[in-house]
Amino acid sequence: MVEERTAQLTRINQSLQTEITERQRIEEALRESEERFRATFHQAAVGIAHVAIDGRWLLVNQRLCNILGYTPEELQLLAFQDITHPDDINADLKYFYQILADDIQTYSIEKRYFCKDRSIVWVNLTVSLMREPSGEPRYFIYVVEDISERQAALRDRKQWEEQMQASLLEKEVLLKEIYHRVKNNLQVISSLLSLQSAYIKDKHDLVIFQQSQQRIASMALVHEKLYESQDLAKINFGEYIRDLVASLFTAYEVNEDAIALVLNIDKHVFLGLDTAIPCSLIIHELVSNSLKYAFPVGRNGTIYIEINQNQDRQVTLVVSDDGIGLPPNFNFQKIASLGWQLVDALTNQLSGNINIQGDMGVKCQVTFTLI
C-alpha cells in the first residue's frame, strides 16, 4: 500500500510539474505577446488608440499624441467628438453608430482634427470594434494616419485647381448637352402629338391632346431654363413663371385687356430639376383652370401668382383668380379631373400641403420645404 501510494504521489507530482511548466510557458508567451503588442502599439508609425463606446480616448500611443499635440493624459480627458471638425462630425458619427449596430465591420474616412494649438490636421481614420465574447461592444480601435503632408507632396494647389476647373468645365458642357437634348426630345414628342391631333375628330379628345402638349411644353421650358442658367443645378423660378404664363396666355388666346396678370415673385427662389418640374406642372394646371373656367365670355378679371421662400427653406406658391369660384361642396380629391388629380399627386411628390378656397374666386396655396 505504501509503495502504491508512493507511486500515485509520484505520478501526481509529475503531472503537477508538467502543468506548472506548461503554465510557465504560457505565461512567458503571454508576456512576450504583451511586450510585442506594447512595442507595436507605442512605436507604430501611425497613431493608434483605444476609444470607449461613448467616444472617450482610453489608450493612445505617442504617434497620435505627436499628430494632435496633446499628452496622453490630456487626450484621456477628452472624447473624439471634442476635437473633430464640426463639418466632419456627422459623417463620422454615422459610421460610428453603424459599426456599433453591427451593420458594418470597419470603416475608413478622411476627416479633420483640431490640434491642441487649434490648428487643423487632416487624417485618414480607420476604425474597428472590439467586442466581448458575448458580443457586447468593448472598445473601438482607431488607426490615425496624418495625410496633411502627403496631400501637399502629391500636388501643389495651383495644379489641383486647374484640374478641378477643367473637370468642372467638362461636366458643365456635358450637363448642358443633356438639358438641351432632353428639351429637344420633349419638343419632338409635342410635335408628334400635334401631328396626331390632326386626325382627331372628337373635340373632347382634341382638347386632351392639346393639354398634353402644353404640359410637355412646360417641362421642356424647365430644361431650356436650366440649359441657359449660370448655375446648372437650379433655375430662377420667377423668370420661369413669367415665360410659362406668357405661353399659356398665348395658347388660350387670352385678351390681356380682359384678364390681367399680377405676379408677386421672390427673386431669391431657385429650384432644382426635381422640384422645378412638379412646381411647373402645378402652376400650369392651376393657371389653365383659371383661363378655362374662371372667366366666362364677357367677364373680366385678374389672375394672381405668388411664390416666396422663408428662412426655414419653406416655399409658398399661391395661384388665385377673382373669377366665378368653385361649385358648392367642391372636393378636388374626389373629382374625376386629370388636372386636379395631377395637382394633388404633384403636391404629394413635393411632400407638401395644398389649401383650396373657392368662395370668392379660387385661391390655391401649396407649401413645401426644399430638401
Side-chain angles (χ1 to χ4, degrees):
M1 289 178 63
V2 169
E3 288 175 354
E4 191 174 276
R5 182 59 175 166
T6 299
Q8 184 180 14
L9 290 173
T10 300
R11 288 194 300 272
I12 292 173
N13 184 56
Q14 290 174 344
S15 177
L16 287 173
Q17 188 64 39
T18 301
E19 184 176 346
I20 290 171
T21 302
E22 181 62 19
R23 287 191 178 186
Q24 288 175 339
R25 188 190 66 79
I26 293 173
E27 288 174 356
E28 182 63 25
L30 287 173
R31 191 179 303 109
E32 291 177 359
S33 176
E34 179 70 12
E35 288 175 357
R36 284 196 301 270
F37 166 79
R38 290 187 178 277
T40 301
F41 187 93
H42 290 288
Q43 297 175 22
V46 295
I48 304 178
H50 291 174
V51 177
I53 303 305
D54 60 3
R56 291 177 298 107
W57 300 97
L58 298 176
L59 182 64
V60 296
N61 71 350
Q62 188 57 48
R63 176 56 182 155
L64 182 60
C65 293
N66 294 342
I67 292 172
L68 300 176
Y70 290 91
T71 65
E73 294 75 19
E74 289 171 336
L75 268 181
Q76 287 166 353
L77 296 175
L78 302 172
F80 79 86
Q81 298 94 325
D82 299 327
I83 62 172
T84 296
H85 194 283
D87 293 344
D88 300 334
I89 190 68
N90 288 336
D92 202 355
L93 288 174
K94 171 189 172 183
Y95 292 117
F96 191 88
Y97 293 128
Q98 284 182 344
I99 204 171
L100 269 178
D102 209 20
D103 293 333
I104 56 176
Q105 299 302 310
T106 183
Y107 70 89
S108 293
I109 60 170
E110 291 186 359
K111 60 177 288 187
R112 288 161 289 185
Y113 279 134
F114 287 113
C115 299
K116 184 179 178 180
D117 62 1
R118 304 311 293 170
S119 63
I120 293 176
V121 59
W122 275 97
V123 302
N124 184 71
L125 173 67
T126 302
V127 180
S128 57
L129 179 61
M130 191 73 175
R131 294 181 179 273
E132 298 287 356
S134 63
E136 286 295 313
R138 187 176 178 186
Y139 58 80
F140 290 94
I141 300 174
Y142 274 33
V143 177
V144 181
E145 180 185 5
D146 183 353
I147 60 173
S148 298
E149 294 180 1
R150 185 179 70 188
Q151 286 182 325
L154 286 174
R155 62 197 176 196
D156 60 47
R157 183 67 180 179
K158 184 177 180 180
Q159 181 182 4
W160 180 80
E161 287 180 349
E162 290 174 349
Q163 290 173 348
M164 289 297 293
Q165 188 65 31
S167 177
L168 182 60
L169 181 60
E170 181 182 349
K171 289 179 174 61
E172 286 180 353
V173 171
L174 177 61
L175 196 54
K176 275 181 172 288
E177 181 64 19
I178 290 172
Y179 288 144
H180 186 61
R181 292 194 179 193
V182 171
K183 182 204 73 171
N184 288 346
N185 289 338
L186 289 171
Q187 288 178 337
V188 169
I189 294 172
S190 180
S191 299
L192 289 173
L193 289 175
S194 180
L195 291 172
Q196 187 68 39
S197 65
Y199 298 93
I200 297 176
K201 305 303 180 183
D202 186 278
K203 291 184 178 181
H204 177 71
D205 292 341
L206 182 60
V207 169
I208 293 175
F209 263 70
Q210 290 172 342
Q211 289 174 341
S212 296
Q213 281 182 264
Q214 292 166 6
R215 292 178 183 121
I216 292 170
S218 69
M219 291 188 288
L221 184 58
V222 172
H223 287 276
E224 182 178 347
K225 289 297 181 183
L226 284 167
Y227 174 73
E228 296 171 351
S229 175
Q230 294 295 322
D231 185 347
L232 296 179
K234 52 192 176 182
I235 61 172
N236 185 323
F237 204 65
E239 295 179 1
Y240 170 83
I241 290 175
R242 291 184 178 88
D243 291 348
L244 173 64
V245 175
S247 68
L248 287 174
F249 270 49
T250 301
Y252 284 95
E253 301 178 347
V254 173
N255 182 354
E256 296 184 4
D257 294 331
I259 301 177
L261 175 66
V262 177
L263 300 177
N264 181 15
I265 298 172
D266 183 350
K267 63 181 180 180
H268 300 296
V269 176
F270 287 82
L271 301 181
L273 182 62
D274 290 343
T275 307
I277 290 291
C279 275
S280 70
L281 290 172
I282 289 173
I283 295 172
H284 176 276
E285 297 303 324
L286 296 177
V287 173
S288 296
N289 281 344
S290 293
L291 293 175
K292 287 188 291 186
Y293 305 118
F295 309 108
V297 177
R299 180 174 179 130
N300 296 345
T302 301
I303 295 176
Y304 175 82
I305 301 176
E306 175 185 347
I307 186 167
N308 59 71
Q309 177 182 331
N310 64 19
Q311 294 180 345
D312 296 326
R313 296 180 59 78
Q314 186 180 66
V315 176
T316 300
L317 170 65
V318 177
V319 178
S320 64
D321 62 60
D322 56 1
I324 61 175
L326 295 171
N329 303 319
F330 173 82
N331 186 339
F332 76 95
Q333 292 177 327
K334 295 182 180 180
I335 289 182
S337 163
L338 177 60
W340 286 113
Q341 291 175 5
L342 276 174
V343 171
D344 185 35
L346 293 165
T347 302
N348 290 331
Q349 183 178 330
L350 293 169
S351 300
N353 298 306
I354 184 170
N355 180 33
I356 301 176
Q357 301 173 13
D359 298 333
M360 302 290 293
V362 178
K363 178 180 179 181
C364 299
Q365 178 175 300
V366 176
T367 57
F368 61 92
T369 301
L370 292 178
I371 304 301

